Amino acid sequence: MLREQAMSVAFDGSPLNAMQSSHTHTQLPVLSGQELSQEIKSFISGVDTLQGRKLSVREHARCAVRLLRSVPACRGAVLEHLRGVYDEHVSVFLHHLETEGNGSSGLSSNLEDIIQEVHGVLSEFIRLNPRAWAPLVSSWAVDLLGQLSSKHAGRRVAPHSSSLNELLQLWMSCAATRSLMEAYSQCLAAMLAWCPDACVDALLDTSVQHSPHFDWVVAHIGSAFPGTIISRVLACGLKDFCSHGTKDQGLLVNGVDKGSRVPKIGSVVGILGHLAAHHSDSIRKELLRMFQESLSPSSPMSPTSSSTSWEGSPQLRRAAVPFLLQLAAMSPNLFGAVSAELVDLLRPPILLQLHSLLQGIPREELDNMLSLAVHLICQSPSGGARVLRFLADTATPASVIISGPTPSPHEGVREGCDSLLQMLLLHLHKLVYNRSDGADGHPHHSASPQPPMVIPFLEELQTHVGELCAETLRLERKRHLWLHQLLCLLSVYGGPSVATEALCQLLTQARNPEELALAWQLHNTLSSCMAGLIPAAVAHCVAQIHTHTLGPRQLRQLLLNLATVIQSQDEDRRGTPDAQSTMAVQMGSAVSVHLHDFSPLLLHGDPAVSHAAVRLLSASPLPRAATPAHLLLLSRAAVAHFFFALRRRGEVGKDGGQAAEAVSCSVALLSRFAAYSPFTLKAVLQQLVEGVLHKGNAGLFGGQIADMSGAPVPSQSGSPDLGASLLDINCRFGTTVNFSGSVWSVFHAGVIGKGLKMRTASPQPDPSGVTLNIQTLLTVVVQCCSSSGLNGSRPPADPDEPPPINAEAAKVVAVTLVENVCPDVANGELSWPPEEHARTTVERDIHIRRCFEAHPALFTLLQVVAAGRPALCYCSALLRGLLATLLAHWEASREASSTDSPWHLRASCLLVFCMGEGQLLPPVLANVHEAFSHLAPFEVRLLLLAVWEYVRANGPMPQKFVFNPDKGLFCRDFSRDGDVARYVSPIHSVLHKNIDRLGHLCWRFQL
């Protein structure tokens, strides 16, 4: 009786009305009170009260369904009983899959109609009275789904929990789990308008208990209701996070749960992680919206707003930022979805609001938030460069000189970013230097060393090394110190490749000593933990040169910076006792290995690059060992650059300070390179002589372009076109005159004065420029020939006295002169024939005279050869040919004075002077050139003839010279050559005849 009264009381509520409406709609028979009592007894005992037998599973389930329809007060017990029915159906379903592969037969089909009937009853209840049934059914359905998923996760046919698509296909093919999923979806759709949090809370609680086996449910529900699930999951997670945060102040640092203070946040992360595959844009928008709403000023809730909305709670608004930080720390995917736009969102107004919000947070919690933010930045897989630029821009103090278009940030905001940046650098320092690396430290400790830890922030910055170096070189207040420290950490983390790239970028982009000092500092920091950095950096620079990666301006700056570093080597040696450990010495050694790679830059089309290259090569040491091919390549490039620098200096004129410096560096390079080895000395001197005689360089030294015969080629630019054709003239001439029957043929050769012999005056070079170029040529040749290391003798005692010319070097110049001026001369033609026999070599002698006329620098080279006795002996053929043509000229001359033939007079004087300097003539004959300008042409011929006769009688043989160790020179003893008096008689006759003009020179010709 009491039970019936209790049951009758339960019928008075709204569930009964709903049930009655349902019965009216479906026309189901209404059970009497006695029948209901029997059904209840049968349901509780599991025995048929009429027949006294035990109910089968199907009969017991149908009894529960009848009670659910008729007595809603029994819903708790009925739903609890139905858990076993659903479990039984799932077990049978999986068993049939494992044994027969067919889950739709046998007992499964008998229970399937019960499940369909239960689903229909629950669906009807939810539709008619959602407020009463939807919360209950949703909790029951999602909890049962979690239990079933976890219980049967180990079955053989159940896929792994990570295979969401296969799991979803398996469970949705089962009638029981599909019915539960549909029921929960109906409840969620019904509760969206008035109480979505309860349904989402049940989902979160179940996800916490049964994850990861429950993930397929989350994926399906999230795909069906993406917008609702995302927003409500975040809201529920925030409420749970806030409630736990009030009890345990503090955040999860580095993703570690201390004491399980936030049990639901892991489920939130899991749900959003599943949805991110297809709804990342919605998640990103919702996360950013939550961040912005938490910072905006709070407003009173409108009457239409939800009572569960977190925006109206100040406590939840304050906890939103820590909550989002924690979400990002636990899910890199969520952080990556918002990090890119978050940086653009942090404008000064937003930063100010964030600063105001953080001021109300306790100090310990604020420190935890900063630590978590630092951890997030370090673990950020993308956008690290933008985050770094934002922090550096915001933390940099406002310049007092340069004011940007945007206002400087608030001082509190700037200090906060400064602290965050300092913490970031400190944290990166700990991560970089404490990460496990089996290759370093204890290489034999373990057979399989643990791989080093990956830092995503630094991984991404490795692709921005160039930009980071450019920002560092701006030298802005504290900014360049932060970036330089980060650059050092990035180099240590990335290893030799990144360190090499960073050092190369600094060497390429530095524009002054202050900026170049950053490269020194980087090397000093890395040298203790990284060997061979400088050689690797130089090799990387050479690779960039070969691939033409650098533009002309960058290439020039790189070469100048390398030269600056090497030139500081002397200062380092004076300031530090161990010079081998300095960057300058290492840079010099590394560059010397690649001189053959830098040498082509001497001929670069940009004069600035060429000048920088010669500065580098002239400052760098020469390699200890090099192949002949590399040495020959370098010598050719250096000599070609020398003439290029001379031409460039002549073009720019007095304003060419850089061109003059390039010439000086080129001279220094040739001198050092010639002193490297006998091979390089010979190569440099040969190419210098060949370059002087090259037609393209003739104008540099006051010469003219000569043809194959040695005659100067006239310029055709000013020749008038006479319009005459000898072919036409001879055609007409042949028709007017008849020479038939004669063996002679007559041709018209043109009119005298109008033929091809007309020459135009070629432009004369600047005399001062020619003199300067000849002096420069003389300087470089003398320096190359006077290296004390090749003379085999000690340097002179007087420091002001120039070092002696190396005889072997002078011989190289002499032989090269003969080979280029007169290639058909044999090396053994040293002796001189009688003067009357000179007519047999007239053509060759004329060619030699024309070469000397076209190239005035030949006399300068002869003077160098004469100073390196006995090298002038090897120029015997040139001297004989030139002297023969001069004798012929003076014999044929009918001028009153020798000064009327200025070139021949100068050539005669220089020839005799060189022969006297080279000791081919005794002093009394070597002085005759002093009287040439005071004599008539035939008298000059008499004196030159005396010179010829002496040389013919006393041949220019190198064997007549003896080395003098005191002077370090070869000298000739003329006393062994016989009496010189008979060669001096013509000189005395000429002196007596011109005593009025030559009296002051008589003492020069005393025996």
Side-chain angles (χ1 to χ4, degrees):
M1 182 62 68
L2 293 176
R3 183 180 300 174
E4 293 178 359
Q5 290 179 357
M7 291 173 58
S8 64
V9 173
F11 293 159
D12 294 336
S14 57
L16 180 60
N17 298 332
M19 195 67 237
Q20 291 174 351
S21 301
S22 176
H23 290 173
T24 305
H25 178 73
T26 58
Q27 300 296 326
L28 295 175
V30 180
L31 299 178
S32 63
Q34 185 178 0
E35 292 175 340
L36 286 177
S37 178
Q38 292 177 355
E39 290 289 345
I40 292 174
K41 291 179 182 179
S42 298
F43 173 75
I44 295 175
S45 62
V47 178
D48 189 348
T49 56
L50 296 179
Q51 300 180 4
R53 62 179 180 84
K54 186 177 181 180
L55 297 176
S56 64
V57 176
R58 182 177 180 279
E59 293 172 344
H60 203 169
R62 192 169 295 279
C63 177
V65 172
R66 288 195 295 270
L67 286 179
L68 187 62
R69 283 201 183 103
S70 305
V71 188
C74 300
R75 54 190 177 187
V78 171
L79 293 178
E80 187 66 27
H81 173 75
L82 291 178
R83 288 176 180 267
V85 177
Y86 276 76
D87 182 42
E88 179 68 20
H89 178 272
V90 171
S91 299
V92 175
F93 171 79
L94 295 177
H95 177 72
H96 278 268
L97 286 180
E98 293 172 348
T99 56
E100 301 179 6
N102 183 11
S104 59
S105 61
L107 185 58
S108 177
S109 60
N110 295 332
L111 293 180
E112 187 170 349
D113 60 345
I114 300 298
I115 290 175
Q116 292 177 356
E117 188 175 355
V118 172
H119 177 71
V121 173
L122 294 178
S123 177
E124 187 70 14
F125 285 170
I126 295 170
R127 184 180 65 82
L128 295 176
N129 194 353
R131 290 183 178 271
W133 285 93
L136 175 65
V137 175
S138 65
S139 300
W140 171 77
V142 75
D143 184 61
L144 182 55
L145 281 172
Q147 291 181 359
L148 294 176
S149 300
S150 298
K151 179 180 179 181
H152 300 284
R155 299 293 289 267
R156 180 166 55 87
V157 294
H160 192 267
S161 59
S162 61
S163 304
L164 289 182
N165 291 331
E166 297 179 8
L167 272 176
L168 189 61
Q169 183 178 0
L170 172 68
W171 291 121
M172 292 303 290
S173 63
C174 178
T177 51
R178 183 174 65 251
S179 170
L180 294 174
M181 185 70 76
E182 293 176 358
Y184 179 80
S185 300
Q186 185 180 2
C187 294
L188 181 59
M191 296 170 65
L192 287 179
W194 48 276
C195 185
D197 288 352
C199 196
V200 175
D201 276 337
L203 184 67
L204 290 177
D205 293 336
T206 308
S207 179
V208 171
Q209 290 180 343
H210 301 287
S211 182
H213 311 298
F214 188 71
D215 292 348
W216 69 274
V217 178
V218 176
H220 181 75
I221 297 299
S223 300
F225 305 92
T228 301
I229 290 296
I230 292 172
S231 59
R232 300 321 305 174
V233 162
L234 285 175
C236 293
L238 175 60
K239 293 177 181 179
D240 185 79
F241 177 84
C242 186
S243 63
H244 284 80
T246 56
K247 299 176 183 179
D248 303 301
Q249 294 296 330
L251 299 173
L252 298 183
V253 180
N254 298 338
V256 179
D257 186 358
K258 298 181 180 181
S260 299
R261 292 190 295 268
V262 281
K264 288 187 179 180
I265 195 168
S267 181
V268 172
V269 170
I271 293 174
L272 296 180
H274 292 313
L275 298 179
H278 302 286
H279 305 282
S280 59
D281 190 60
S282 300
I283 294 175
R284 175 181 53 81
K285 292 181 179 178
E286 188 62 30
L287 291 173
L288 292 177
R289 187 192 69 82
M290 175 174 282
F291 175 73
Q292 290 178 299
E293 290 293 334
S294 66
L295 298 180
S296 60
S298 59
S299 57
M301 294 180 57
S302 60
T304 59
S305 62
S306 175
S307 59
T308 59
S309 177
W310 63 271
E311 291 89 343
S313 172
Q315 183 181 6
L316 293 178
R317 295 167 66 89
R318 286 193 300 268
V321 173
F323 170 70
L324 292 176
L325 279 176
Q326 190 60 54
L327 277 182
M330 298 180 66
S331 175
N333 294 332
L334 297 180
F335 179 64
V338 299
S339 59
E341 293 192 16
L342 185 61
V343 175
D344 298 333
L345 189 64
L346 294 177
R347 297 302 178 186
I350 300 295
L351 288 174
L352 195 58
Q353 294 175 2
L354 182 60
H355 175 67
S356 302
L357 176 67
L358 297 180
Q359 280 184 334
I361 298 179
R363 183 65 184 179
E364 181 181 357
E365 186 174 351
L366 182 60
D367 292 341
N368 290 336
M369 288 182 60
L370 290 178
S371 300
L372 189 57
V374 167
H375 169 75
L376 289 176
I377 295 174
C378 294
Q379 298 302 320
S380 173
S382 62
R386 299 178 62 188
V387 173
L388 178 62
R389 180 183 294 274
F390 163 75
L391 291 176
D393 290 342
T394 310
T396 301
S399 176
V400 295
I401 301 177
I402 303 176
S403 59
T406 58
S408 59
H410 186 268
E411 187 64 22
V413 175
R414 189 197 65 78
E415 292 178 357
C417 285
D418 190 344
S419 302
L420 184 61
L421 194 55
Q422 294 286 359
M423 293 179 63
L424 174 63
L425 293 175
L426 180 60
H427 186 65
L428 288 174
H429 187 277
K430 294 179 181 178
L431 292 178
V432 168
Y433 284 97
N434 293 335
R435 64 186 189 135
S436 59
D437 191 350
D440 299 333
H442 304 282
H444 304 289
H445 181 70
S446 176
S448 57
Q450 183 181 1
M453 180 182 61
V454 176
I455 306 176
F457 177 72
L458 295 181
E459 286 287 338
E460 198 225 346
L461 284 185
Q462 291 183 18
T463 61
H464 300 275
V465 175
E467 301 173 11
L468 187 59
C469 291
E471 290 293 328
T472 306
L473 292 173
R474 290 171 61 182
L475 300 179
E476 292 184 356
R477 304 289 288 275
K478 294 183 179 180
R479 184 192 188 95
H480 78 281
L481 300 177
W482 297 327
L483 297 181
H484 189 270
Q485 184 179 355
L486 181 61
L487 191 62
C488 294
L489 295 175
L490 183 62
S491 301
V492 175
Y493 173 80
S497 60
V498 177
T500 300
E501 174 68 19
L503 188 57
C504 288
Q505 290 289 344
L506 292 179
L507 291 174
T508 303
Q509 300 183 29
R511 295 166 295 180
N512 51 58
E514 291 77 13
E515 296 180 358
L516 188 58
L518 295 178
W520 289 77
Q521 297 173 13
L522 179 64
H523 173 261
N524 293 337
T525 304
L526 301 178
S527 59
S528 59
C529 60
M530 203 171 296
L533 181 58
I534 294 298
V538 174
H540 185 75
C541 294
V542 170
Q544 288 184 326
I545 293 174
H546 287 325
T547 56
H548 303 284
T549 305
L550 304 176
R553 183 175 300 179
Q554 294 176 320
L555 181 57
R556 168 186 172 273
Q557 195 63 54
L558 171 63
L559 298 176
L560 290 178
N561 289 335
L562 291 177
T564 302
V565 173
I566 295 175
Q567 286 171 349
S568 63
Q569 179 175 347
D570 296 335
E571 300 178 2
D572 289 344
R573 285 176 177 173
R574 290 193 297 266
T576 58
D578 188 9
Q580 295 299 323
S581 62
T582 63
M583 179 181 177
V585 176
Q586 295 180 27
M587 185 68 72
S589 301
V591 171
S592 66
V593 178
H594 297 278
L595 285 185
H596 61 281
D597 295 306
F598 289 104
S599 58
L601 298 178
L602 294 172
L603 307 179
H604 197 276
D606 191 340
V609 176
S610 177
H611 169 62
V614 74
R615 277 194 57 185
L616 172 62
L617 295 181
S618 62
S620 63
L622 297 176
R624 295 183 177 180
T627 62
H630 290 168
L631 295 176
L632 188 59
L633 175 65
L634 180 57
S635 64
R636 287 177 177 174
V639 172
H641 177 269
F642 171 73
F643 293 105
F644 170 78
L646 291 181
R647 190 177 299 107
R648 174 71 178 170
R649 184 177 63 179
E651 292 174 356
V652 298
K654 296 181 179 180
D655 298 332
Q658 182 177 351
E661 184 184 2
V663 172
S664 301
C665 293
S666 184
V667 171
L669 174 61
L670 289 174
S671 303
R672 295 177 59 250
F673 192 62
Y676 178 69
S677 68
F679 175 78
T680 56
L681 173 64
K682 183 178 180 180
V684 169
L685 291 177
Q686 285 180 342
Q687 291 159 20
L688 277 175
V689 174
E690 293 173 359
V692 170
L693 297 177
H694 191 272
K695 62 181 181 179
N697 301 325
L700 294 175
F701 308 101
Q704 301 175 0
I705 302 176
D707 59 9
M708 294 297 295
S709 64
V713 178
S715 174
Q716 302 296 332
S717 59
S719 300
D721 186 8
L722 301 178
S725 173
L726 289 179
L727 178 62
D728 295 339
I729 294 175
N730 279 282
C731 288
R732 292 193 300 268
F733 182 73
T735 58
T736 57
V737 181
N738 186 10
F739 294 99
S740 61
S742 174
V743 297
W744 303 102
S745 297
V746 180
F747 294 96
H748 191 275
V751 181
I752 295 175
K754 295 185 179 180
L756 298 177
K757 293 184 179 180
M758 182 177 178
R759 295 186 177 184
T760 57
S762 59
Q764 297 296 326
D766 182 19
S768 61
V770 170
T771 303
L772 182 60
N773 290 338
I774 291 179
Q775 290 177 352
T776 306
L777 175 66
L778 181 62
T779 300
V780 68
V781 174
V782 169
Q783 290 184 5
C784 291
C785 294
S786 60
S787 175
S788 60
L790 297 177
N791 276 327
S793 61
R794 63 179 184 270
D798 187 2
D800 297 332
E801 182 182 352
I805 300 296
N806 183 9
E808 290 298 326
K811 179 182 177 181
V812 173
V813 178
V815 173
T816 308
L817 281 175
V818 174
E819 291 176 351
N820 286 272
V821 174
C822 193
D824 59 339
V825 173
N827 293 331
E829 295 186 25
L830 300 182
S831 60
W832 286 34
E835 188 272 336
E836 59 271 12
H837 292 173
R839 61 177 60 96
T840 60
T841 57
V842 171
E843 184 177 358
R844 187 178 73 181
D845 296 343
I846 293 176
H847 173 77
I848 293 173
R849 191 264 303 167
R850 286 178 174 176
C851 284
F852 275 88
E853 185 178 3
H855 302 282
L858 287 178
F859 289 107
T860 303
L861 297 177
L862 274 183
Q863 294 176 18
V864 177
V865 174
R869 297 189 292 265
L872 193 62
C873 298
Y874 300 96
C875 290
S876 177
L878 298 183
L879 301 177
R880 185 175 68 244
L882 181 59
L883 184 55
T885 57
L886 292 175
L887 286 172
H889 170 78
W890 294 121
E891 182 180 10
S893 177
R894 296 298 179 264
E895 303 293 341
S897 174
S898 61
T899 55
D900 293 331
S901 300
W903 187 89
H904 296 82
L905 176 61
R906 177 175 177 271
S908 300
C909 294
L910 290 175
L911 177 62
V912 174
F913 171 78
C914 291
M915 296 177 69
E917 181 69 20
Q919 292 190 352
L920 300 186
L921 299 174
V924 65
L925 290 177
N927 297 332
V928 297
H929 68 280
E930 299 179 9
F932 285 170
S933 61
H934 304 285
L935 303 178
F938 77 95
E939 294 173 330
V940 174
R941 180 184 180 277
L942 290 176
L943 299 185
L944 291 179
L945 191 58
V947 170
W948 181 288
E949 291 298 331
Y950 178 84
V951 178
R952 186 187 66 81
N954 303 279
M957 299 299 174
Q959 295 81 3
K960 296 182 178 182
F961 292 80
V962 179
F963 183 73
N964 186 347
D966 296 332
K967 296 182 179 180
L969 296 173
F970 286 88
C971 299
R972 180 177 179 179
D973 187 5
F974 289 99
S975 62
R976 299 180 180 180
D977 294 337
D979 187 14
V980 188
R982 64 191 186 94
Y983 304 105
V984 183
S985 298
I987 300 176
H988 290 166
S989 299
V990 173
L991 288 176
H992 291 162
K993 181 180 179 182
N994 301 280
I995 193 65
D996 55 335
R997 299 191 302 272
L998 301 178
H1000 64 288
L1001 296 177
C1002 289
W1003 67 275
R1004 300 281 289 168
F1005 303 99
Q1006 298 297 324
L1007 294 175

